[in-house]
């Protein structure tokens, strides 16, 4: 039965019970009222008439006419008010006794008449008593049935009260539970509210939805699984080691190459905590440390450091040989994890080492013949050997300049190979910055004079702290900066060299007012062999990159502030 019909049916029953209760109660009250009225009307009147007749008898001796009138009047009234069984007979007796009394008028007939009247009174008072007892009985039974009906309707009302809310809430509760199950991805949940309920439609729609979701889940699941298998195949086919980590550093996937270099089988990697595994695996520990460093750097946005980190390859011993890997950390969107990609750069590293080695050997080997050329040139210039004419002198000068340049380039190349081979030995000692500045000024004196360059020194002696550096290397750096400043300025230019104290740091700077450097190249001028396009002055493009390596090896920094057309200011900073 539908809920609507159930409610209508129950309320209908309740209405019928209440209506019957009302009808029954009003009819019963009406009946009791009628009974009571009858008692008053019939029996009470008979008693009154009888008492009037007794009164008439009592005044008969004194006023016979009035007494007779009174008696006859009441007797006639009594004649028309015979309600009780036997009352008609007694009234007839009364008429007879009255006639007899009128005829004989003795005490006997009088007594007899009075006795008959008393019989009528008794008859009616008995009836009154009987009827009032009946009325009381009726009232009792009315009361009983009224209470009974009230009880029945109360029970029905209680039943409805208990049943109706449940009738509505239980399907809603079941529906709510179903929705929670669905939201927990349990799509096999189904609802059943019976056949004759409005909720059947709701259940039908719910079950359809759950079925479709389950079909959708299965198809998406199948798609996800096939995509996963596809990705796994691709990842395993890649020769480069790849490791996927979740945001909690659990290993999501690892290809064959990574399991080989980590020396851990796949089943011991997948879904395991990389942090736990890293306790017993050195390589994994280094990868995680690098990842944490990388994310710290990302936070601090230190591009220079990031580049440096990416530049230094990771050395791994695999298959009893040294391998080099460049590590790339690819963060997934919304910080949901990281993919660690290792590119094998062993071949490049070996080639690079070979190149460095080659440059080192060549530079070293070239130094001796260049020195020999310079020595021979010196001898050639000696007048004891013979006089040279003007043209020969010019040619000799040319040989001298180029040999000097070759010597400086081989010197720079040697320094670079030192850095690249990682054999840069520092011999630091406490040094006054002014000593480095003086060295640089002396080293470039000839050049400055040649270009008629005016070198100014800005050095507040008492304010500058000493620094702990390898003075030979840093003097070379400052000389290189000063020589660049002279080279890249016009003739008769002005160059300022000096130092500044900055809290616990000392800055040594070289400022020129030459052509300046385009901001696009402020970073790249510190790269190996880089020269600003269009630079006419001869050079190797190595000076600044070696300077940077030397300065950073001391824990210092080097930077340039420059605007095209306004000049450049190179600043080297050291901790004191
Ligand atoms: P090199 O001077 O031998 O070319 P460096 O590494 O010292 O190599 O300099 C790299 C490049 O930076 C130079 O080729 C030049 O273009 C630019 N550069 C260096 N110093 C200055 C300067 N003071 N003014 C303008 N450009 C400069």
């Amino acid at each position: 039965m539908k809920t609507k019909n159930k409610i209508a049916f129950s309320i209908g029953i309740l209405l019928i019970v209440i209506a019957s209760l009302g009808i029954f109660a009003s009819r019963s009250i009406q009946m009791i009222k009628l009974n009571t009225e009858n008692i008053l009307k019939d029996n009470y009147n008979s008693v009154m008439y009888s008492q009037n007749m007794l009164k008439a008898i009592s005044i008969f001796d004194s006023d016979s006419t009035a007494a007779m009138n009174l008696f006859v009047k009441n007797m006639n009234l009594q004649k028309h008010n015979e309600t009780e069984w036997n009352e008609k007979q007694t009234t007839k007796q009364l008429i007879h006794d009255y006639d007899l009394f009128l005829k004989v008028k003795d005490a006997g007939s009088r007594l007899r008449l009075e006795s008959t009247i008393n019989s009528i009174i008794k008859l009616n008072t008995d009836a009154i008593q009987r009827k009032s007892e009946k009325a009381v009985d009726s009232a009792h039974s009315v009361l009983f049935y009224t209470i009974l009906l009230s009880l029945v309707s109360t029970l029905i009302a209680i039943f409805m009260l208990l049943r109706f809310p449940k009738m509505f809430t239980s399907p809603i509760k079941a529906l709510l539970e179903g929705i929670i199950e669905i939201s927990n991805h349990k799509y096999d949940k189904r609802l059943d509210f019976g056949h004759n309920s409005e909720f059947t439609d709701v259940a039908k729609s719910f079950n359809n939805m759950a079925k479709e979701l389950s079909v959708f889940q299965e198809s998406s699941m199948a798609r996800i699984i096939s995509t996963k298998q596809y990705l796994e195949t691709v990842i395993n086919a890649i020769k480069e080691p790849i490791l996927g980590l979740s945001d909690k550093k659990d290993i999501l996937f690892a290809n064959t190459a990574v399991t080989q270099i980590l020396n851990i089988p796949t089943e011991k990697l997948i879904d395991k905590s990389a942090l736990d595994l890293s306790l017993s695996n050195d390589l994994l520990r280094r990868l995680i440390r690098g990842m944490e460093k990388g994310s710290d750097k990302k936070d601090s946005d230190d591009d220079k450091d990031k580049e440096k980190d990416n530049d230094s390859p990771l050395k791994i011993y695999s298959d009893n040989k040294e391998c080099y890997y460049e590590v790339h950390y690819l963060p997934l969107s919304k910080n949901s994890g990281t993919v660690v990609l290792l590119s094998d750069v062993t071949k490049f590293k070996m080639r690079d080492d070979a190149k460095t080695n080659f440059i080192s050997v060549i530079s070293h080997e070239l130094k001796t013949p260049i020195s020999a050329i310079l020595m021979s040139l010196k001898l050639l210039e000696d007048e004891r050997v013979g006089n040279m004419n003007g043209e020969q002198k010019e040619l000799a000068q040319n040989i001298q300049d180029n040999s000097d340049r070759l010597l400086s380039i081989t010197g720079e190349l040697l320094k670079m190979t030192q850095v690249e081979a990682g054999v840069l030995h520092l011999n630091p000692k406490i040094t006054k910055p002014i000593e480095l500045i003086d060295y640089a000024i002396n080293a470039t004196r000839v050049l400055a004079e040649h270009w008629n360059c005016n070198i100014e020194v800005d050095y507040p002696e008492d304010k500058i702290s000493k620094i702990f550096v390898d003075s030979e290397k840093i003097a070379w750096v400052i000389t290189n900066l000063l020589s660049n400043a002279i080279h890249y300025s016009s003739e008769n230019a002005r160059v300022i060299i000096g130092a500044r104290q900055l809290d616990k740091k000392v800055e040594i700077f070289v400022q020129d007012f030459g052509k300046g450097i385009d901001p696009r190249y402020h970073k790249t001028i510190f790269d190996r062999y880089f020269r600003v396009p269009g630079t006419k002055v001869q050079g190797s493009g190595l000076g600044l990159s070696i300077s940077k390596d030397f300065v950073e090896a001391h824990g210092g920094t080097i930077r340039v502030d420059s605007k095209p057309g306004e000049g450049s200011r190179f600043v080297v900073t050291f901790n004191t």
Side-chain angles (χ1 to χ4, degrees), residues 412 480-481 484-485 488-489 512 515-517 525 527 530-533 535 537-545 568 570:
E412 281 180 354
N480 184 58
L481 294 179
N484 275 354
Y488 298 108
S489 297
D512 67 59
K515 61 181 196 161
I517 303 164
I525 50 166
D527 289 349
F530 180 83
R531 312 197 71 225
V532 172
T535 304
V537 179
Q538 288 194 326
S540 62
L542 282 172
L544 287 177
S545 94
S568 313
F570 281 86

PDB file of all heavy atoms in Angstrom, residues 412 480-481 484-485 488-489 512 515-517 525 527 530-533 535 537-545 568 570, ligand 1:
ATOM      1  N   GLU A 412      95.869  30.485 -18.433  1.00  0.00           N
ATOM      2  CA  GLU A 412      94.431  30.420 -18.080  1.00  0.00           C
ATOM      3  C   GLU A 412      93.893  29.005 -18.273  1.00  0.00           C
ATOM      4  O   GLU A 412      93.155  28.477 -17.444  1.00  0.00           O
ATOM      5  CB  GLU A 412      93.640  31.407 -18.938  1.00  0.00           C
ATOM      6  CG  GLU A 412      93.760  32.836 -18.446  1.00  0.00           C
ATOM      7  CD  GLU A 412      92.974  33.823 -19.282  1.00  0.00           C
ATOM      8  OE1 GLU A 412      92.425  33.428 -20.323  1.00  0.00           O
ATOM      9  OE2 GLU A 412      92.914  35.001 -18.885  1.00  0.00           O
ATOM     10  N   ASN A 480      92.892  40.074 -13.234  1.00  0.00           N
ATOM     11  CA  ASN A 480      92.080  39.793 -14.421  1.00  0.00           C
ATOM     12  C   ASN A 480      90.949  40.827 -14.571  1.00  0.00           C
ATOM     13  O   ASN A 480      90.689  41.323 -15.679  1.00  0.00           O
ATOM     14  CB  ASN A 480      91.501  38.380 -14.284  1.00  0.00           C
ATOM     15  CG  ASN A 480      90.729  37.980 -15.515  1.00  0.00           C
ATOM     16  OD1 ASN A 480      91.279  37.967 -16.607  1.00  0.00           O
ATOM     17  ND2 ASN A 480      89.449  37.712 -15.340  1.00  0.00           N
ATOM     18  N   LEU A 481      90.313  41.182 -13.432  1.00  0.00           N
ATOM     19  CA  LEU A 481      89.217  42.163 -13.493  1.00  0.00           C
ATOM     20  C   LEU A 481      89.756  43.524 -13.916  1.00  0.00           C
ATOM     21  O   LEU A 481      89.149  44.235 -14.738  1.00  0.00           O
ATOM     22  CB  LEU A 481      88.512  42.281 -12.123  1.00  0.00           C
ATOM     23  CG  LEU A 481      87.748  41.030 -11.643  1.00  0.00           C
ATOM     24  CD1 LEU A 481      87.127  41.275 -10.267  1.00  0.00           C
ATOM     25  CD2 LEU A 481      86.657  40.659 -12.642  1.00  0.00           C
ATOM     26  N   ASN A 484      90.681  43.483 -17.567  1.00  0.00           N
ATOM     27  CA  ASN A 484      89.455  43.601 -18.384  1.00  0.00           C
ATOM     28  C   ASN A 484      88.963  45.043 -18.415  1.00  0.00           C
ATOM     29  O   ASN A 484      88.572  45.563 -19.470  1.00  0.00           O
ATOM     30  CB  ASN A 484      88.339  42.728 -17.800  1.00  0.00           C
ATOM     31  CG  ASN A 484      88.433  41.295 -18.291  1.00  0.00           C
ATOM     32  OD1 ASN A 484      89.263  40.989 -19.145  1.00  0.00           O
ATOM     33  ND2 ASN A 484      87.610  40.427 -17.732  1.00  0.00           N
ATOM     34  N   ALA A 485      88.965  45.695 -17.212  1.00  0.00           N
ATOM     35  CA  ALA A 485      88.466  47.074 -17.123  1.00  0.00           C
ATOM     36  C   ALA A 485      89.273  47.999 -18.044  1.00  0.00           C
ATOM     37  O   ALA A 485      88.701  48.860 -18.724  1.00  0.00           O
ATOM     38  CB  ALA A 485      88.547  47.557 -15.673  1.00  0.00           C
ATOM     39  N   TYR A 488      88.485  46.893 -21.834  1.00  0.00           N
ATOM     40  CA  TYR A 488      87.149  47.197 -22.353  1.00  0.00           C
ATOM     41  C   TYR A 488      86.735  48.654 -22.121  1.00  0.00           C
ATOM     42  O   TYR A 488      85.564  48.985 -22.196  1.00  0.00           O
ATOM     43  CB  TYR A 488      86.113  46.209 -21.771  1.00  0.00           C
ATOM     44  CG  TYR A 488      86.427  44.792 -22.184  1.00  0.00           C
ATOM     45  CD1 TYR A 488      86.921  43.854 -21.274  1.00  0.00           C
ATOM     46  CD2 TYR A 488      86.275  44.398 -23.518  1.00  0.00           C
ATOM     47  CE1 TYR A 488      87.253  42.572 -21.662  1.00  0.00           C
ATOM     48  CE2 TYR A 488      86.614  43.104 -23.919  1.00  0.00           C
ATOM     49  CZ  TYR A 488      87.100  42.196 -22.985  1.00  0.00           C
ATOM     50  OH  TYR A 488      87.433  40.928 -23.400  1.00  0.00           O
ATOM     51  N   SER A 489      87.740  49.520 -21.807  1.00  0.00           N
ATOM     52  CA  SER A 489      87.465  50.967 -21.736  1.00  0.00           C
ATOM     53  C   SER A 489      88.171  51.608 -22.926  1.00  0.00           C
ATOM     54  O   SER A 489      89.066  51.004 -23.536  1.00  0.00           O
ATOM     55  CB  SER A 489      88.055  51.563 -20.452  1.00  0.00           C
ATOM     56  OG  SER A 489      87.441  50.977 -19.334  1.00  0.00           O
ATOM     57  N   ASP A 512      84.760  50.430 -14.060  1.00  0.00           N
ATOM     58  CA  ASP A 512      85.232  51.177 -15.242  1.00  0.00           C
ATOM     59  C   ASP A 512      84.079  51.978 -15.818  1.00  0.00           C
ATOM     60  O   ASP A 512      82.936  51.837 -15.388  1.00  0.00           O
ATOM     61  CB  ASP A 512      85.837  50.209 -16.280  1.00  0.00           C
ATOM     62  CG  ASP A 512      84.815  49.281 -16.885  1.00  0.00           C
ATOM     63  OD1 ASP A 512      83.851  49.768 -17.486  1.00  0.00           O
ATOM     64  OD2 ASP A 512      84.968  48.029 -16.725  1.00  0.00           O
ATOM     65  N   LYS A 515      82.322  50.525 -22.184  1.00  0.00           N
ATOM     66  CA  LYS A 515      81.094  50.331 -22.972  1.00  0.00           C
ATOM     67  C   LYS A 515      79.999  49.578 -22.198  1.00  0.00           C
ATOM     68  O   LYS A 515      78.845  49.558 -22.629  1.00  0.00           O
ATOM     69  CB  LYS A 515      81.417  49.605 -24.267  1.00  0.00           C
ATOM     70  CG  LYS A 515      82.017  48.233 -24.094  1.00  0.00           C
ATOM     71  CD  LYS A 515      82.291  47.677 -25.470  1.00  0.00           C
ATOM     72  CE  LYS A 515      82.513  46.177 -25.393  1.00  0.00           C
ATOM     73  NZ  LYS A 515      82.341  45.539 -26.661  1.00  0.00           N
ATOM     74  N   GLY A 516      80.336  48.983 -21.073  1.00  0.00           N
ATOM     75  CA  GLY A 516      79.328  48.292 -20.260  1.00  0.00           C
ATOM     76  C   GLY A 516      78.902  46.960 -20.867  1.00  0.00           C
ATOM     77  O   GLY A 516      79.342  46.586 -21.951  1.00  0.00           O
ATOM     78  N   ILE A 517      78.028  46.243 -20.164  1.00  0.00           N
ATOM     79  CA  ILE A 517      77.602  44.904 -20.632  1.00  0.00           C
ATOM     80  C   ILE A 517      76.069  44.848 -20.614  1.00  0.00           C
ATOM     81  O   ILE A 517      75.425  45.238 -19.618  1.00  0.00           O
ATOM     82  CB  ILE A 517      78.166  43.789 -19.717  1.00  0.00           C
ATOM     83  CG1 ILE A 517      79.695  43.873 -19.656  1.00  0.00           C
ATOM     84  CG2 ILE A 517      77.731  42.406 -20.175  1.00  0.00           C
ATOM     85  CD1 ILE A 517      80.312  43.093 -18.522  1.00  0.00           C
ATOM     86  N   ILE A 525      78.504  35.745 -18.922  1.00  0.00           N
ATOM     87  CA  ILE A 525      79.927  36.125 -19.050  1.00  0.00           C
ATOM     88  C   ILE A 525      80.805  35.307 -18.098  1.00  0.00           C
ATOM     89  O   ILE A 525      82.007  35.241 -18.286  1.00  0.00           O
ATOM     90  CB  ILE A 525      80.185  37.646 -18.804  1.00  0.00           C
ATOM     91  CG1 ILE A 525      79.531  38.107 -17.510  1.00  0.00           C
ATOM     92  CG2 ILE A 525      79.767  38.486 -19.985  1.00  0.00           C
ATOM     93  CD1 ILE A 525      80.027  39.466 -17.057  1.00  0.00           C
ATOM     94  N   ASP A 527      80.492  32.101 -17.872  1.00  0.00           N
ATOM     95  CA  ASP A 527      80.586  30.734 -18.422  1.00  0.00           C
ATOM     96  C   ASP A 527      81.908  30.584 -19.185  1.00  0.00           C
ATOM     97  O   ASP A 527      82.456  31.566 -19.702  1.00  0.00           O
ATOM     98  CB  ASP A 527      79.422  30.473 -19.396  1.00  0.00           C
ATOM     99  CG  ASP A 527      78.113  30.339 -18.658  1.00  0.00           C
ATOM    100  OD1 ASP A 527      78.145  30.234 -17.411  1.00  0.00           O
ATOM    101  OD2 ASP A 527      77.053  30.359 -19.325  1.00  0.00           O
ATOM    102  N   PHE A 530      82.848  32.035 -22.918  1.00  0.00           N
ATOM    103  CA  PHE A 530      81.828  32.979 -23.399  1.00  0.00           C
ATOM    104  C   PHE A 530      82.429  34.374 -23.551  1.00  0.00           C
ATOM    105  O   PHE A 530      83.110  34.891 -22.668  1.00  0.00           O
ATOM    106  CB  PHE A 530      80.619  33.041 -22.450  1.00  0.00           C
ATOM    107  CG  PHE A 530      79.563  34.011 -22.952  1.00  0.00           C
ATOM    108  CD1 PHE A 530      78.635  33.606 -23.902  1.00  0.00           C
ATOM    109  CD2 PHE A 530      79.552  35.340 -22.532  1.00  0.00           C
ATOM    110  CE1 PHE A 530      77.710  34.498 -24.412  1.00  0.00           C
ATOM    111  CE2 PHE A 530      78.613  36.230 -23.032  1.00  0.00           C
ATOM    112  CZ  PHE A 530      77.697  35.808 -23.974  1.00  0.00           C
ATOM    113  N   ARG A 531      82.107  34.990 -24.667  1.00  0.00           N
ATOM    114  CA  ARG A 531      82.532  36.369 -24.918  1.00  0.00           C
ATOM    115  C   ARG A 531      81.300  37.101 -25.437  1.00  0.00           C
ATOM    116  O   ARG A 531      80.534  36.554 -26.237  1.00  0.00           O
ATOM    117  CB  ARG A 531      83.659  36.449 -25.939  1.00  0.00           C
ATOM    118  CG  ARG A 531      84.789  35.460 -25.622  1.00  0.00           C
ATOM    119  CD  ARG A 531      86.077  35.797 -26.344  1.00  0.00           C
ATOM    120  NE  ARG A 531      86.696  36.987 -25.807  1.00  0.00           N
ATOM    121  CZ  ARG A 531      87.211  37.975 -26.547  1.00  0.00           C
ATOM    122  NH1 ARG A 531      87.155  37.895 -27.849  1.00  0.00           N
ATOM    123  NH2 ARG A 531      87.748  39.019 -25.972  1.00  0.00           N
ATOM    124  N   VAL A 532      81.092  38.311 -24.965  1.00  0.00           N
ATOM    125  CA  VAL A 532      79.924  39.076 -25.410  1.00  0.00           C
ATOM    126  C   VAL A 532      80.034  39.249 -26.930  1.00  0.00           C
ATOM    127  O   VAL A 532      81.106  39.640 -27.426  1.00  0.00           O
ATOM    128  CB  VAL A 532      79.864  40.452 -24.701  1.00  0.00           C
ATOM    129  CG1 VAL A 532      78.776  41.322 -25.310  1.00  0.00           C
ATOM    130  CG2 VAL A 532      79.655  40.282 -23.213  1.00  0.00           C
ATOM    131  N   PRO A 533      78.934  38.900 -27.667  1.00  0.00           N
ATOM    132  CA  PRO A 533      79.007  39.008 -29.125  1.00  0.00           C
ATOM    133  C   PRO A 533      79.450  40.414 -29.549  1.00  0.00           C
ATOM    134  O   PRO A 533      78.986  41.406 -28.980  1.00  0.00           O
ATOM    135  CB  PRO A 533      77.576  38.721 -29.580  1.00  0.00           C
ATOM    136  CG  PRO A 533      76.961  37.949 -28.461  1.00  0.00           C
ATOM    137  CD  PRO A 533      77.630  38.409 -27.216  1.00  0.00           C
ATOM    138  N   THR A 535      82.551  41.535 -29.329  1.00  0.00           N
ATOM    139  CA  THR A 535      83.740  41.992 -28.597  1.00  0.00           C
ATOM    140  C   THR A 535      84.950  41.940 -29.543  1.00  0.00           C
ATOM    141  O   THR A 535      85.223  40.889 -30.133  1.00  0.00           O
ATOM    142  CB  THR A 535      83.985  41.097 -27.360  1.00  0.00           C
ATOM    143  OG1 THR A 535      82.800  41.100 -26.572  1.00  0.00           O
ATOM    144  CG2 THR A 535      85.157  41.586 -26.535  1.00  0.00           C
ATOM    145  N   VAL A 537      88.157  43.192 -28.668  1.00  0.00           N
ATOM    146  CA  VAL A 537      89.398  42.947 -27.934  1.00  0.00           C
ATOM    147  C   VAL A 537      89.675  41.447 -27.938  1.00  0.00           C
ATOM    148  O   VAL A 537      88.740  40.659 -27.766  1.00  0.00           O
ATOM    149  CB  VAL A 537      89.256  43.462 -26.472  1.00  0.00           C
ATOM    150  CG1 VAL A 537      90.531  43.192 -25.692  1.00  0.00           C
ATOM    151  CG2 VAL A 537      88.902  44.931 -26.457  1.00  0.00           C
ATOM    152  N   GLN A 538      90.916  41.064 -28.173  1.00  0.00           N
ATOM    153  CA  GLN A 538      91.222  39.637 -28.218  1.00  0.00           C
ATOM    154  C   GLN A 538      91.203  39.019 -26.812  1.00  0.00           C
ATOM    155  O   GLN A 538      91.595  39.656 -25.835  1.00  0.00           O
ATOM    156  CB  GLN A 538      92.585  39.444 -28.860  1.00  0.00           C
ATOM    157  CG  GLN A 538      92.520  39.717 -30.356  1.00  0.00           C
ATOM    158  CD  GLN A 538      93.741  39.219 -31.074  1.00  0.00           C
ATOM    159  OE1 GLN A 538      94.836  39.256 -30.528  1.00  0.00           O
ATOM    160  NE2 GLN A 538      93.564  38.783 -32.306  1.00  0.00           N
ATOM    161  N   GLY A 539      90.764  37.784 -26.736  1.00  0.00           N
ATOM    162  CA  GLY A 539      90.707  37.122 -25.427  1.00  0.00           C
ATOM    163  C   GLY A 539      90.224  35.694 -25.578  1.00  0.00           C
ATOM    164  O   GLY A 539      89.865  35.256 -26.676  1.00  0.00           O
ATOM    165  N   SER A 540      90.198  34.962 -24.451  1.00  0.00           N
ATOM    166  CA  SER A 540      89.838  33.547 -24.506  1.00  0.00           C
ATOM    167  C   SER A 540      88.428  33.263 -23.972  1.00  0.00           C
ATOM    168  O   SER A 540      87.878  32.189 -24.186  1.00  0.00           O
ATOM    169  CB  SER A 540      90.832  32.749 -23.662  1.00  0.00           C
ATOM    170  OG  SER A 540      90.736  33.183 -22.315  1.00  0.00           O
ATOM    171  N   GLY A 541      87.876  34.195 -23.228  1.00  0.00           N
ATOM    172  CA  GLY A 541      86.565  33.965 -22.605  1.00  0.00           C
ATOM    173  C   GLY A 541      86.672  33.057 -21.395  1.00  0.00           C
ATOM    174  O   GLY A 541      85.686  32.465 -20.948  1.00  0.00           O
ATOM    175  N   LEU A 542      87.861  32.953 -20.854  1.00  0.00           N
ATOM    176  CA  LEU A 542      88.068  32.056 -19.703  1.00  0.00           C
ATOM    177  C   LEU A 542      88.268  32.807 -18.392  1.00  0.00           C
ATOM    178  O   LEU A 542      88.010  32.269 -17.314  1.00  0.00           O
ATOM    179  CB  LEU A 542      89.299  31.170 -19.949  1.00  0.00           C
ATOM    180  CG  LEU A 542      89.115  29.992 -20.880  1.00  0.00           C
ATOM    181  CD1 LEU A 542      90.459  29.333 -21.171  1.00  0.00           C
ATOM    182  CD2 LEU A 542      88.180  28.968 -20.259  1.00  0.00           C
ATOM    183  N   GLY A 543      88.770  34.060 -18.484  1.00  0.00           N
ATOM    184  CA  GLY A 543      89.168  34.812 -17.289  1.00  0.00           C
ATOM    185  C   GLY A 543      88.084  34.870 -16.221  1.00  0.00           C
ATOM    186  O   GLY A 543      88.318  34.524 -15.051  1.00  0.00           O
ATOM    187  N   LEU A 544      86.863  35.289 -16.597  1.00  0.00           N
ATOM    188  CA  LEU A 544      85.796  35.454 -15.597  1.00  0.00           C
ATOM    189  C   LEU A 544      85.333  34.110 -15.033  1.00  0.00           C
ATOM    190  O   LEU A 544      85.010  34.011 -13.846  1.00  0.00           O
ATOM    191  CB  LEU A 544      84.608  36.218 -16.193  1.00  0.00           C
ATOM    192  CG  LEU A 544      84.836  37.722 -16.417  1.00  0.00           C
ATOM    193  CD1 LEU A 544      83.617  38.353 -17.067  1.00  0.00           C
ATOM    194  CD2 LEU A 544      85.155  38.433 -15.106  1.00  0.00           C
ATOM    195  N   SER A 545      85.322  33.072 -15.914  1.00  0.00           N
ATOM    196  CA  SER A 545      84.853  31.781 -15.403  1.00  0.00           C
ATOM    197  C   SER A 545      85.855  31.206 -14.401  1.00  0.00           C
ATOM    198  O   SER A 545      85.462  30.655 -13.371  1.00  0.00           O
ATOM    199  CB  SER A 545      84.558  30.824 -16.555  1.00  0.00           C
ATOM    200  OG  SER A 545      85.654  30.020 -16.823  1.00  0.00           O
ATOM    201  N   SER A 568      81.072  49.236 -16.191  1.00  0.00           N
ATOM    202  CA  SER A 568      80.782  48.019 -15.413  1.00  0.00           C
ATOM    203  C   SER A 568      81.491  48.084 -14.064  1.00  0.00           C
ATOM    204  O   SER A 568      82.553  48.682 -13.938  1.00  0.00           O
ATOM    205  CB  SER A 568      81.293  46.785 -16.148  1.00  0.00           C
ATOM    206  OG  SER A 568      80.913  46.834 -17.502  1.00  0.00           O
ATOM    207  N   PHE A 570      82.628  45.256 -11.346  1.00  0.00           N
ATOM    208  CA  PHE A 570      82.735  43.861 -10.923  1.00  0.00           C
ATOM    209  C   PHE A 570      83.029  43.854  -9.428  1.00  0.00           C
ATOM    210  O   PHE A 570      83.915  44.582  -8.958  1.00  0.00           O
ATOM    211  CB  PHE A 570      83.852  43.146 -11.691  1.00  0.00           C
ATOM    212  CG  PHE A 570      83.421  42.745 -13.082  1.00  0.00           C
ATOM    213  CD1 PHE A 570      83.526  43.650 -14.141  1.00  0.00           C
ATOM    214  CD2 PHE A 570      82.884  41.497 -13.330  1.00  0.00           C
ATOM    215  CE1 PHE A 570      83.117  43.299 -15.419  1.00  0.00           C
ATOM    216  CE2 PHE A 570      82.475  41.141 -14.615  1.00  0.00           C
ATOM    217  CZ  PHE A 570      82.577  42.036 -15.656  1.00  0.00           C
TER     218      PHE A 570
HETATM  219  P1  LIG B   1      88.136  37.607 -22.153  1.00  0.00           P
HETATM  220  O1  LIG B   1      88.267  38.946 -21.570  1.00  0.00           O
HETATM  221  O2  LIG B   1      89.412  36.879 -22.285  1.00  0.00           O
HETATM  222  O3  LIG B   1      87.297  37.568 -23.368  1.00  0.00           O
HETATM  223  P2  LIG B   1      86.675  37.114 -19.765  1.00  0.00           P
HETATM  224  O4  LIG B   1      86.084  35.878 -19.194  1.00  0.00           O
HETATM  225  O5  LIG B   1      87.564  37.891 -18.886  1.00  0.00           O
HETATM  226  O6  LIG B   1      87.327  36.715 -21.111  1.00  0.00           O
HETATM  227  O7  LIG B   1      85.462  38.037 -20.180  1.00  0.00           O
HETATM  228  C1  LIG B   1      84.336  37.488 -20.839  1.00  0.00           C
HETATM  229  C2  LIG B   1      83.658  38.562 -21.670  1.00  0.00           C
HETATM  230  O8  LIG B   1      83.054  39.504 -20.804  1.00  0.00           O
HETATM  231  C3  LIG B   1      84.585  39.397 -22.483  1.00  0.00           C
HETATM  232  O9  LIG B   1      84.821  38.795 -23.729  1.00  0.00           O
HETATM  233  C4  LIG B   1      83.850  40.701 -22.615  1.00  0.00           C
HETATM  234  O10 LIG B   1      82.963  40.626 -23.676  1.00  0.00           O
HETATM  235  C5  LIG B   1      83.082  40.795 -21.328  1.00  0.00           C
HETATM  236  N1  LIG B   1      83.730  41.679 -20.350  1.00  0.00           N
HETATM  237  C6  LIG B   1      84.546  41.320 -19.343  1.00  0.00           C
HETATM  238  N2  LIG B   1      84.923  42.388 -18.611  1.00  0.00           N
HETATM  239  C7  LIG B   1      84.311  43.462 -19.168  1.00  0.00           C
HETATM  240  C8  LIG B   1      84.316  44.887 -18.894  1.00  0.00           C
HETATM  241  N3  LIG B   1      85.006  45.382 -17.869  1.00  0.00           N
HETATM  242  N4  LIG B   1      83.599  45.698 -19.702  1.00  0.00           N
HETATM  243  C9  LIG B   1      82.880  45.179 -20.728  1.00  0.00           C
HETATM  244  N5  LIG B   1      82.855  43.859 -21.049  1.00  0.00           N
HETATM  245  C10 LIG B   1      83.563  43.030 -20.292  1.00  0.00           C
END
